[in-house]
Amino acid sequence: GANVGCHTLRMAQLVGSTGRVIAFEPMPWANRRLRKNLSLNHQLRNVTVENFGLSDGACTATVHFRSSWKLTDEKRSGEAVESTEPCSVEFVRVDDYLTRNSIGRVDLIKLDVDGYEFKVLRGAANLLTAHKPVIVLELGAYTLRAVGDRIEDLVAFLAERGYRFYRETDFSPYPSFDEMLKSIPLDATINAVASTRPLSA
């Protein structure tokens, strides 16, 4: 999810006038702040904001994705009151969205969706096979398990499509899929980069 736009703003600056960023944020509290931040930073020209979620099928469900934290609290707890309520969210597949909007090419996917990562990727199977975009994603065994998926299946899914995993900090490759899986704490997540082409810092 794009949340309030920290990455969206930076991506919009990087792609410039010839690029395009599509930011998906289904939670109303975060979506409003995302749009406000884009307006304040004059980044509306090359950003499209969508207020639905991505998954492996089209549906509507009542969900709650956490979208605010008190950064001054050492435990980073205490959501903004208006962001605590579940809400009805429309979910779509990436492949369907791209077809419906006549988008033929995607270069980069930034993915941090509280365990829905594998569902989003399954819904983007055609895109991943045809265009092989670089993927920056959060990986956590416990977050995926909470929504009925397994991290081993996500890794295998990308491996079958020619992806390798790289460390986010310096783009160095993980020696193997097993080594990467071992690096993920049982009760935490890591960020990684998946690419079909070698990366360099």
Side-chain angles (χ1 to χ4, degrees):
N3 200 264
V4 299
C6 177
H7 291 93
T8 303
L9 286 166
R10 182 60 178 147
M11 298 291 184
Q13 293 170 347
L14 289 172
V15 302
S17 60
T18 60
R20 180 179 177 190
V21 175
I22 305 172
F24 298 91
E25 179 47 62
M27 303 308 291
W29 182 89
N31 191 287
R32 288 195 303 272
R33 279 152 182 78
L34 168 62
R35 293 174 188 272
K36 182 67 173 178
N37 283 336
L38 289 168
S39 176
L40 290 171
N41 288 275
H42 309 292
Q43 292 291 347
L44 293 172
R45 291 183 302 277
N46 60 353
V47 178
T48 299
V49 177
E50 300 289 7
N51 64 347
F52 44 78
L54 299 172
S55 190
D56 53 359
C59 68
T60 300
T62 299
V63 297
H64 175 247
F65 294 115
R66 188 172 185 181
S67 53
S68 81
W69 294 261
K70 285 185 178 178
L71 297 181
T72 55
D73 183 339
E74 290 183 3
K75 296 182 179 179
R76 299 188 70 187
S77 62
E79 293 177 82
V81 174
E82 60 267 42
S83 76
T84 60
E85 295 298 321
C87 67
S88 179
V89 170
E90 177 188 359
F91 288 92
V92 302
R93 296 169 68 249
V94 169
D95 287 336
D96 294 338
Y97 177 87
L98 297 179
T99 298
R100 189 165 66 234
N101 291 278
S102 301
I103 299 170
R105 172 183 158 196
V106 174
D107 297 309
L108 176 73
I109 295 174
K110 169 67 173 71
L111 193 55
D112 181 347
V113 285
D114 295 352
Y116 272 69
E117 286 81 10
F118 192 19
K119 297 185 192 316
V120 174
L121 293 173
R122 290 199 300 265
N126 293 340
L127 166 66
L128 300 182
T129 300
H131 297 285
K132 304 185 184 304
V134 173
I135 307 168
V136 181
L137 75 165
E138 183 180 49
L139 292 171
Y142 84 98
T143 54
L144 287 158
R145 188 167 54 247
V147 298
D149 289 325
R150 296 185 341 124
I151 193 167
E152 294 84 359
D153 296 333
L154 183 157
V155 170
F157 177 85
L158 289 178
E160 289 168 1
R161 286 157 179 78
Y163 281 88
R164 290 190 63 189
F165 287 87
Y166 297 79
R167 294 175 180 84
E168 178 195 38
T169 52
D170 61 4
F171 296 155
S172 61
Y174 283 95
S176 67
F177 296 125
D178 285 341
E179 286 298 315
M180 186 200 68
L181 289 171
K182 289 177 183 176
S183 74
I184 303 174
L186 293 177
D187 58 351
T189 63
I190 66 168
N191 292 316
V193 182
S195 175
T196 61
R197 300 173 294 278
L199 299 180
S200 58

